[in-house]
Amino acid sequence: MTSQVPKLVAFDLDGTIWSPDMYMLWGGGSPFRFVNNEELRDCSNSKVKILGISGEILDTIATADEWKDTVVAWVSCTDEPSWADECMKKFKTPMGVPLVDRVQEQCIYKSNKQTHFKELQQRTNIAFEDMIFFDNEMGNISSVERLGVCSIYCPNGMTRKIWENGIASWLRRK
């Protein structure tokens, strides 16, 4: 029987899970202060916000039966990986769980996203066609799509419509 959900769900961070991109906080940045589950403030009081339903998606994947065998991954080329790491620890899902605790794999370093996915494939042994990837940059979408990963453009982050249409797109390819 064909799986009804991807075996690996990967998300970019900057512009997909939160906004703004970490480099936009240069002159501020770490340490970040918790305001609420969906908002942090950097040391210059600039706002960092969770986009759309990112936290809800992570809670669903972690708790719903049909997702129990799915691996979640961060795939990011952020300019400030230590700031991203701090944000992942401080942002919380609607269930109050830090984002970092909802993810099993991370590839956060400067490189073409194809490199990230080849590494993920080696580490998890999950075929590219069993993966889905969400990113706000079309160049990354095109690059990863060439590997056979269902790649979904999300210019405004993880909205419900993007999530639902993305999963439907992945299913149509099966």
Side-chain angles (χ1 to χ4, degrees):
M1 183 175 137
T2 303
S3 175
Q4 295 301 300
V5 298
K7 292 181 182 173
L8 185 140
V9 179
F11 300 96
D12 174 49
L13 293 172
D14 292 346
T16 301
I17 295 293
W18 60 56
S19 180
D21 289 15
M22 292 289 108
Y23 82 87
M24 294 176 173
L25 300 172
W26 287 345
S30 185
F32 292 88
R33 178 175 47 86
F34 180 84
V35 175
N36 60 51
N37 285 357
E38 298 181 353
E39 182 181 327
L40 304 176
R41 294 290 177 133
D42 77 353
C43 68
S44 66
N45 208 37
S46 294
K47 185 187 301 187
V48 183
K49 293 279 289 178
I50 288 278
L51 293 172
I53 62 164
S54 300
E56 180 184 329
I57 292 166
L58 294 169
D59 280 340
T60 298
I61 295 171
T63 61
D65 241 17
E66 70 265 26
W67 293 96
K68 70 178 172 20
D69 297 323
T70 298
V71 173
V72 178
W74 298 138
V75 178
S76 178
C77 298
T78 187
D79 289 297
E80 297 292 346
S82 65
W83 294 359
D85 187 57
E86 182 181 345
C87 289
M88 288 184 282
K89 290 174 182 169
K90 290 186 175 177
F91 273 126
K92 294 187 175 23
T93 69
M95 290 183 171
V97 178
L99 298 188
V100 71
D101 292 343
R102 291 293 198 212
V103 175
Q104 294 77 46
E105 294 287 339
Q106 293 186 36
C107 289
I108 302 176
Y109 53 86
K110 283 288 185 201
S111 185
N112 179 293
K113 295 272 174 109
Q114 279 192 4
T115 305
H116 293 114
F117 276 87
K118 289 174 182 174
E119 181 181 328
L120 278 174
Q121 199 280 324
Q122 287 181 332
R123 287 198 322 226
T124 64
N125 219 16
I126 296 171
F128 291 132
E129 59 267 18
D130 292 324
M131 299 180 183
I132 190 168
F133 171 52
F134 295 89
D135 197 303
N136 68 312
E137 293 185 26
M138 193 50 94
N140 293 332
I141 294 299
S142 300
S143 174
V144 173
E145 185 71 40
R146 286 194 290 278
L147 294 174
V149 175
C150 180
S151 301
I152 308 299
Y153 180 57
C154 52
N156 301 308
M158 292 306 304
T159 64
R160 185 168 312 282
K161 183 176 181 181
I162 289 286
W163 172 247
E164 290 172 353
N165 288 346
I167 297 303
S169 230
W170 179 86
L171 275 168
R172 281 193 299 275
R173 293 167 66 141
K174 294 309 283 175

